[in-house]
């Protein structure tokens, strides 16, 4: 409860910052300036009460998204203050806001979550939307310097870093079942799906079990891929055409798309997550408000302006009430993990996470027969990732329940060799390996399972630096060491440690196995490498180093 309460308080603080930002910039809006405070309040209320925010506020780990948003909002407020100070001729104050306060808030945002680095880009959106340059008064040099140092040069540096060598970004996709091209084709569909959920929340379909979002393998596979790309281009064209006539429409659309640049573009993240809309949705609701005012001004006036305004306010209040009700319903679902999973199984049948969370619930009910029935169904699933996980879970259940693994089940696990490993595969391998560490299972000894794991990682079509690969190899090495094959354990640990990305636990075991095998020269080298990687404040790491020092001969 305390974790959720803290997230809720952060959410409310973010709402206050959104109101302060919008109230300030809307005073500069030619269409909305007369009702700036009220429009800002209504947008903030919709943002605070929208059910799409539930999976950010109540999903504890997404406090990083909340805190990043909080500091980005502070950076934007600071930018607006600095920009207005420059307009008023207070150059020193403006410089302090732009070159001290904004960068400080941005750094704190990045420390919370990487997309805090988007703050300068969002400042550029506000600059283009609400601080227009005219011929008599061009943009101040201070502003130009801010964007050169805070946006243009960092973007150029990041582009060069990821573009050279070209393999850097492509290789990072080894952790995914989709390619860079497929992600770029899929994300426009994801963006329009987000916008649909923001306009019309879809109750039970909301949540975190969105890993089954279909991949776009081509412009017509699925067919909505092409329409989404066209729609995205049309949205950009609309924003550009509305820049002068409806600043809120331009600023809102540009803000929404710019805030998605990091998590919905080239980086090898999962295709879809609701919490990515936490900050961008501010822009979306601003664009909707601007579009409604634009359309409202074009309609024939059939009643006095005050009556029309009251109708709009009543409608906005009714909308907030409906959103509050929908959010309360979502929060009720989030009280129970089993309720969330049951909903996800129905509404997200393609979610691997939902299927295996449901398995864990059934497993914890201690019903072996029901668990095995569910596993057998999953082992026949059309998704190869689901099938691979299921066959390993079948062996784990056989070992735990019967203390004996069926040779056919073990053979199905060995047949995973040659497949691309996912983090979920690694985790279930570690579960089975962890069980075998302390228990015997007829038909599957520690050495036999280590041999299976070694074959799987040796044939995985991924670099050895991939997390799922090196951690699975580490598990094989640990089982070799515990099963009485220290020389093979050392060979596997050497392969793991020399990837350069394995964590210190690998080096600790590697050095101890080297000592056991009387490879003292190698052990001293590994110990020296560990000494550089384990900081002095890491007490557990320092204790491990002390143990290695005691084991090494003087």
């Amino acid at each position: 409860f305390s974790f959720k309460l803290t997230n809720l308080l952060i959410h409310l603080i973010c709402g206050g910052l959104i109101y302060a930002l919008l109230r300030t910039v809307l005073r500069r809006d030619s269409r909305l300036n007369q009702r700036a405070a009220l429009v800002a309040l209504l947008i903030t209320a919709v943002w605070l009460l929208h059910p799409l925010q539930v999976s950010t506020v109540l999903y504890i780990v997404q406090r990083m998204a909340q805190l990043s948003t909080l500091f980005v909002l502070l950076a934007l407020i600071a930018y607006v203050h600095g920009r207005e100070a420059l307009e008023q001729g207070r150059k020193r104050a403006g410089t302090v806001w732009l070159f001290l306060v904004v960068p400080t808030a941005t750094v704190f945002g990045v420390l919370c979550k990487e997309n805090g680095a988007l703050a300068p880009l969002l400042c550029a959106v506000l600059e283009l939307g609400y601080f227009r340059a005219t011929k008599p008064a061009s943009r101040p040099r201070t502003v130009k310097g801010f964007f050169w140092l805070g946006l243009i040069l960092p973007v150029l540096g990041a582009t060069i870093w990821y573009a050279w060598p070209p393999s850097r970004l492509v290789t990072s996709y080894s952790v995914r079942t989709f390619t860079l091209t497929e992600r770029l084709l899929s994300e426009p569909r994801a963006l329009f799906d987000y916008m649909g959920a923001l306009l019309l929340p879809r109750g039970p379909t909301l949540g975190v079990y969105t890993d089954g979002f279909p991949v776009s393998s081509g412009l017509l596979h699925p067919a909505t891929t092409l329409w989404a790309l066209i729609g995205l281009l049309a949205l950009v064209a609309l924003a550009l055409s509305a820049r002068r006539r409806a600043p809120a429409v331009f600023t809102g659309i540009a803000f929404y798309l710019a805030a998605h640049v990091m998590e919905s573009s080239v980086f090898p993240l999962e295709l879809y997550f609701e919490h990515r809309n936490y900050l961008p949705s501010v822009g979306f609701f601003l664009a909707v408000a601007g579009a409604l005012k634009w359309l409202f001004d074009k309609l024939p006036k059939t009643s006095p302006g005050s009556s029309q305004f009251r109708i709009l306010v009543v409608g906005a209040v009714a909308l907030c009430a409906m959103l509050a009700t929908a959010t309360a319903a979502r929060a009720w679902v989030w009280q129970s993990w089993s309720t969330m999973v049951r909903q996800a199984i129905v509404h997200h049948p393609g979610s691997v996470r939902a299927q295996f969370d449901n398995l864990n619930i059934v497993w914890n009910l201690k019903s072996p027969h029901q668990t095995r029935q569910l596993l057998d169904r999953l082992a026949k699933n059309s998704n190869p990732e689901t099938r691979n996980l299921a066959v390993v879970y079948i062996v784990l259940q056989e070992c735990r329940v019967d203390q004996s693994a069926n040779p056919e089940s073990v053979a199905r696990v060995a047949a995973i060799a040659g497949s691309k490993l996912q983090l979920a595969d690694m985790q279930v391998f570690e579960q089975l390996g962890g069980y075998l560490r302390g228990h015997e299972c007829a038909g599957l000894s520690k050495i036999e399972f280590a041999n299976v794991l070694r074959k799987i990682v040796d044939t995985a079509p991924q670099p050895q630096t991939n997390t799922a690969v090196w951690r699975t190899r580490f598990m094989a090495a640990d089982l070799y060491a515990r099963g009485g094959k220290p020389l093979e354990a050392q060979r596997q640990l050497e392969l793991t440690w020399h990837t350069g990305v394995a964590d210190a636990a690998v080096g600790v075991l590697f050095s101890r196995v080297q000592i056991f095998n009387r490879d003292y020269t190698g052990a001293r080298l590994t110990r020296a490498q560990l000494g550089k990687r384990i900081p002095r404040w890491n007490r557990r790491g320092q204790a491990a180093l002390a143990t290695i020092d005691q084991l090494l001969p003087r």
Side-chain angles (χ1 to χ4, degrees):
F1 176 80
S2 60
F3 280 94
K4 292 181 180 180
L5 178 61
T6 302
N7 277 19
L8 180 59
L9 292 174
I10 295 170
H11 185 57
L12 294 173
I13 293 170
C14 286
L17 294 175
I18 290 168
Y19 172 73
L21 175 66
L22 292 179
R23 184 184 60 178
T24 303
V25 296
L26 289 177
R27 286 172 180 166
R28 308 176 65 89
D29 192 297
S30 57
R31 289 183 178 272
L32 298 170
N33 54 7
Q34 293 182 350
R35 306 283 186 180
L38 181 60
V39 173
L41 180 63
L42 290 174
I43 292 174
T44 301
V46 169
W47 184 86
L48 280 169
L49 295 170
H50 202 285
L52 197 73
Q53 314 294 25
V54 170
S55 58
T56 305
V57 178
L58 298 186
Y59 191 16
I60 302 303
V61 72
Q62 288 311 320
R63 183 175 298 176
M64 59 183 179
Q66 290 187 285
L67 289 174
S68 177
T69 294
L70 186 151
F71 286 110
V72 168
L73 290 169
L74 287 173
L76 296 177
I77 291 171
Y79 178 81
V80 171
H81 279 299
R83 192 63 178 85
E84 290 186 337
L86 291 173
E87 283 184 334
Q88 297 162 10
R90 297 184 293 120
K91 186 174 180 180
R92 180 177 297 178
T95 302
V96 170
W97 281 109
L98 265 60
F99 287 92
L100 179 61
V101 182
V102 174
T104 301
T106 300
V107 168
F108 278 109
V110 172
L111 291 173
C112 296
K113 191 175 182 179
E114 293 86 342
N115 52 0
L118 294 174
L121 178 60
L122 298 175
C123 288
V125 169
L126 295 182
E127 175 69 26
L128 292 173
Y130 286 113
F131 295 92
R132 298 185 198 145
T134 60
K135 288 183 179 179
S138 61
R139 299 190 196 283
R141 289 184 179 179
T142 304
V143 173
K144 295 177 181 177
F146 170 80
F147 286 116
W148 269 104
L149 293 175
L151 180 61
I152 297 173
L153 292 178
V155 168
L156 287 174
T159 302
I160 293 170
W161 168 260
Y162 282 105
W164 191 262
S167 60
R168 190 192 304 276
L169 189 59
V170 175
T171 302
S172 64
Y173 274 79
S174 64
V175 298
R176 298 299 176 197
T177 56
F178 48 83
T179 64
L180 170 59
T181 301
E182 288 172 335
R183 189 174 204 281
L184 291 174
L185 288 172
S186 301
E187 283 309 306
R189 290 177 35 248
L191 289 173
F192 273 95
D193 198 272
Y194 296 148
M195 287 186 273
L198 288 167
L199 279 175
L200 187 64
R202 301 184 294 268
T205 65
L206 300 178
V208 296
Y209 292 103
T210 53
D211 52 304
F213 187 78
V215 178
S216 292
S217 58
L219 288 174
L220 299 176
H221 299 89
T224 50
T225 304
L226 180 60
W227 289 112
L229 285 168
I230 294 172
L232 196 58
L233 292 174
L235 201 61
V236 172
L238 172 64
L240 293 174
S241 66
R243 184 183 169 203
R244 296 191 179 280
R245 289 176 293 170
V249 174
F250 165 81
T251 305
I253 294 174
F255 191 102
Y256 179 77
L257 296 178
H260 269 294
V261 159
M262 190 169 289
E263 291 183 300
S264 300
S265 59
V266 299
F267 299 107
L269 305 171
E270 286 194 32
L271 294 178
Y272 191 108
F273 263 125
E274 289 176 6
H275 62 253
R276 292 174 185 167
N277 292 275
Y278 194 65
L279 176 60
S281 57
V282 176
F284 181 83
F285 296 133
L286 174 61
V288 171
L292 288 175
K293 184 65 169 71
W294 189 7
L295 292 173
F296 183 75
D297 288 343
K298 290 183 176 296
L299 293 175
K301 301 295 186 291
T302 57
S303 59
S306 58
S307 298
Q308 293 175 335
F309 177 72
R310 282 196 293 271
I311 292 171
L312 287 174
V313 171
V314 171
V317 171
L319 173 62
C320 288
M322 288 189 291
L323 291 175
T325 303
T327 294
R330 291 304 301 159
W332 181 84
V333 171
W334 273 75
Q335 290 184 92
S336 167
W337 182 44
S338 60
T339 303
M340 289 173 61
V341 172
R342 283 197 300 270
Q343 259 193 15
I345 289 293
V346 175
H347 296 283
H348 296 284
S351 169
V352 176
R353 278 198 294 267
Q355 297 289 347
F356 284 92
D357 279 355
N358 184 50
L359 171 66
N360 284 327
I361 291 171
V362 174
W363 191 305
N364 291 333
L365 292 175
K366 301 187 185 304
S367 173
H369 179 67
Q370 189 179 359
T371 301
R372 184 54 188 263
Q373 284 184 323
L374 179 56
L375 281 170
D376 286 339
R377 286 202 305 271
L378 293 174
K380 298 174 184 176
N381 194 283
S382 59
N383 186 337
E385 184 181 353
T386 301
R387 292 199 304 271
N388 289 346
L389 290 170
V391 297
V392 184
Y393 269 112
I394 286 172
V395 174
L396 178 59
Q397 195 210 25
E398 289 174 345
C399 287
R400 283 182 171 175
V401 176
D402 305 323
Q403 287 76 51
S404 176
N406 188 313
E408 292 183 3
S409 301
V410 175
R412 293 169 75 184
V413 175
I416 293 174
S419 302
K420 181 181 277 192
L421 292 184
Q422 305 298 307
L423 292 176
D425 298 320
M426 173 205 78
Q427 290 166 346
V428 70
F429 289 151
E430 290 180 345
Q431 285 188 56
L432 179 52
Y435 178 84
L436 293 174
R437 279 173 172 172
H439 304 83
E440 295 299 323
C441 180
L444 186 64
S445 66
K446 295 179 180 65
I447 299 301
E448 287 169 331
F449 188 49
N451 288 336
V452 170
L453 294 181
R454 185 185 66 182
K455 182 181 178 183
I456 288 172
V457 293
D458 284 345
T459 58
Q462 294 155 284
Q464 293 299 304
T465 52
N466 179 277
T467 301
V469 173
W470 72 254
R471 276 185 57 170
T472 300
R473 191 182 292 280
F474 178 45
M475 173 56 68
D478 184 73
L479 292 172
Y480 277 128
R482 295 171 186 269
K485 281 198 171 185
L487 290 175
E488 186 57 39
Q490 182 171 334
R491 281 192 285 270
Q492 298 304 312
L493 286 164
E494 184 175 10
L495 290 171
T496 307
W497 182 243
H498 287 167
T499 60
V501 297
D503 58 36
V506 176
V508 171
L509 181 59
F510 186 27
S511 59
R512 297 189 67 160
V513 171
Q514 286 173 312
I515 294 170
F516 185 87
N517 291 331
R518 299 181 183 278
D519 180 10
Y520 300 125
T521 301
R524 289 190 176 92
L525 176 60
T526 306
R527 164 62 178 84
Q529 293 169 339
L530 277 169
K532 295 177 181 178
R533 293 184 55 181
I534 298 177
R536 292 189 178 278
W537 51 261
N538 185 333
R539 293 184 180 180
R540 181 180 294 180
Q542 291 298 321
L545 291 177
T547 301
I548 294 170
D549 291 336
Q550 292 173 0
L551 294 173
L552 280 168
R554 301 295 180 185

